[in-house]
Amino acid sequence: LDMEEIRDLTVSMLNSGEKLELSGFVVDKHSIGGVPGNKVSLLIIPIVASTDLYIPKTSSRAITSPSGTADTMSVLANVKFSLREIKEIVEKTHGCIVWGGALNLAPADDMLIRVENPLRINPRGLMLASVMAKKLAVGAKIVALDIPVGRGTKVADMADGERLARDFVELGKSLGINVKAGITYGGQPVGRAIGPALEAREALSALMDPSSASMSLLSKSASLAGILLEASGISKQGEGYDAAMELLRTGKALSKFREIIEAQGGNPNVKPDDLPIGTYRHEVIAESDGYVTLVDNESLVQIARAAGAPTDKGAGVILHQKQGYKVKKGDVLFEIYAERSSKLSDAVNIAAYSPPVMIEGMLLKSYP
């Protein structure tokens, strides 16, 4: 498809359904995906909603990943609402994190996705139209686009990421949306947790105590939120990141997140330890001293899904050692969590066959 055809397809998708009409200035964010543990929406939405901006985040459930944003948020609150209910939530709190599959927003897009997924195809023209139709349907004027680049992601390299960013920016201009793309590092998971409940715990912990949170989670969240703050004029150019971090440090983002949780029917006083995780666990330890030279996203996804994620919300993986870390023999590399012993056994077997954490000089197996 050329750009004119993509624009026409986007408008047709938009006009196939309803639209969310809000009284405030609406912004949004979207990730191309492909990186496990990418729970940044649970930080970005409350950061942005703490300002005068409105950010109604409609998200998908996982198809091939261990957890989609809607799966993670569903651990904390209800994510299935009508369009009228979403309007009420956002008018009250300025933000929401809900499942888009329950809505009639650009439904033609959903029909195409149901064809694409089993065929494992994702044509660029359809992807562009799909994302922008959904953003138009919620009334977004500015969109922060997360394009992860790196081994195992959907975007092969920086050059491909820049081409995709240019396409989105050009399409956005033709549709009246200001698209700001952030090309991000996607070579290993964001944070340490992979799987719905584990990711919800990590996101909530980061909001409660940013000083002890994973820097990859904080930095990516603040960077993308900062893009929206700057593009909307809430922050001056070059000051969006610091403004977002300040909203985290002062607890304003946490207060807003609890407000959103309550508005979506969850417990606003929930603590990370209140969220149940799998009782069956297995630790994988380093068998020698060395440095982590590779973290394999695809292998981690396979392990987490074999453990039961996202269907079993308490299943997943906690990654203790990331690329570049120095480890000693006996250190825990990662933990696998499952709700059923059979699932744990499956995940452990995959971890042994396809190790997701490689240590320089590590003997993988002795044979015979």
Side-chain angles (χ1 to χ4, degrees):
L1 301 177
D2 62 31
M3 193 54 68
E4 184 178 352
E5 290 170 328
I6 295 171
R7 183 192 182 281
D8 290 344
L9 177 58
T10 304
V11 173
S12 295
M13 285 180 174
L14 171 67
N15 292 334
S16 69
E18 299 178 80
K19 300 177 183 68
L20 178 64
E21 297 180 358
L22 298 166
S23 60
F25 190 86
V26 179
V27 301
D28 207 345
K29 63 82 59 176
H30 180 80
S31 176
I32 300 303
V35 181
N38 196 18
K39 61 200 71 72
V40 294
S41 288
L42 274 66
L43 277 69
I44 293 171
I45 276 63
I47 289 172
V48 174
S50 299
T51 71
D52 292 334
L53 302 173
Y54 283 23
I55 183 163
K57 181 70 179 118
T58 62
S59 305
S60 62
R61 294 189 185 275
I63 298 170
T64 59
S65 71
S67 186
T69 297
D71 297 304
T72 304
M73 187 63 182
S74 70
V75 176
L76 297 160
N78 183 23
V79 295
K80 188 176 180 179
F81 296 96
S82 68
L83 206 58
R84 178 185 59 79
E85 291 169 329
I86 290 173
K87 181 180 174 68
E88 292 175 357
I89 291 168
V90 179
E91 292 284 2
K92 178 181 179 181
T93 69
H94 284 213
C96 69
I97 305 173
V98 300
W99 177 48
L103 306 172
N104 190 37
L105 299 175
D109 171 48
D110 299 322
M111 295 177 187
L112 288 169
I113 288 173
R114 284 197 291 272
V115 175
E116 293 170 8
N117 286 337
L119 297 175
R120 294 186 175 276
I121 59 172
N122 189 26
R124 181 166 290 202
L126 288 179
M127 178 183 66
L128 286 158
S130 172
V131 172
M132 298 305 287
K134 287 292 198 291
K135 302 313 172 190
L136 283 169
V138 300
K141 301 298 183 185
I142 302 170
V143 173
L145 183 69
D146 171 25
I147 304 179
V149 172
R151 186 180 184 274
T153 66
K154 296 178 181 178
V155 181
D157 52 37
M158 185 66 74
D160 194 27
E162 290 176 354
R163 283 192 294 271
L164 185 59
R166 283 195 297 270
D167 286 346
F168 267 108
V169 170
E170 182 182 346
L171 179 60
K173 284 180 180 178
S174 71
L175 296 166
I177 297 180
N178 182 9
V179 177
K180 299 290 187 181
I183 300 176
T184 58
Y185 173 66
Q188 55 185 339
V190 179
R192 301 183 182 281
I194 303 168
L198 294 171
E199 291 188 39
R201 277 187 168 203
E202 185 175 28
L204 185 56
S205 296
L207 286 162
M208 292 175 66
D209 184 13
S211 64
S212 63
S214 168
M215 197 58 211
S216 64
L217 174 58
L218 284 185
S219 178
K220 184 169 183 177
S221 300
S223 295
L224 293 170
I227 287 174
L228 291 173
L229 298 182
E230 290 181 17
S232 60
I234 296 293
S235 300
K236 294 180 181 178
Q237 289 300 309
E239 297 180 3
Y241 177 89
D242 290 339
M245 288 297 289
E246 184 66 13
L247 288 168
L248 284 168
R249 283 192 290 264
T250 58
K252 290 182 179 179
L254 173 63
S255 296
K256 178 58 66 174
F257 191 51
R258 293 196 181 283
E259 186 182 341
I260 292 170
I261 289 174
E262 184 174 27
Q264 292 186 205
N267 174 13
N269 301 312
V270 66
K271 298 179 178 61
D273 288 344
D274 296 335
L275 306 176
I277 56 176
T279 55
Y280 295 94
R281 306 178 189 182
H282 177 80
E283 293 182 346
V284 176
I285 63 171
E287 298 190 9
S288 66
D289 297 345
Y291 289 87
V292 177
T293 57
L294 175 68
V295 173
D296 190 329
N297 281 339
E298 293 180 3
S299 179
L300 285 169
V301 167
Q302 291 174 4
I303 293 165
R305 287 182 66 88
T311 305
D312 297 341
K313 296 194 186 308
V317 175
I318 294 289
L319 180 64
H320 289 282
Q321 312 294 340
K322 301 183 83 171
Q323 193 167 326
Y325 283 26
K326 183 179 181 180
V327 297
K328 295 180 179 179
K329 183 178 180 179
D331 286 348
V332 177
L333 299 177
F334 59 95
E335 292 177 273
I336 306 171
Y337 291 77
E339 295 181 2
R340 290 173 281 177
S341 60
S342 60
K343 289 288 188 180
L344 180 65
S345 179
D346 291 343
V348 170
N349 288 336
I350 290 176
Y353 179 76
S354 179
V357 180
M358 302 296 290
I359 299 173
E360 184 178 352
M362 184 175 77
L363 177 66
L364 298 179
K365 191 172 184 179
S366 178
Y367 182 86

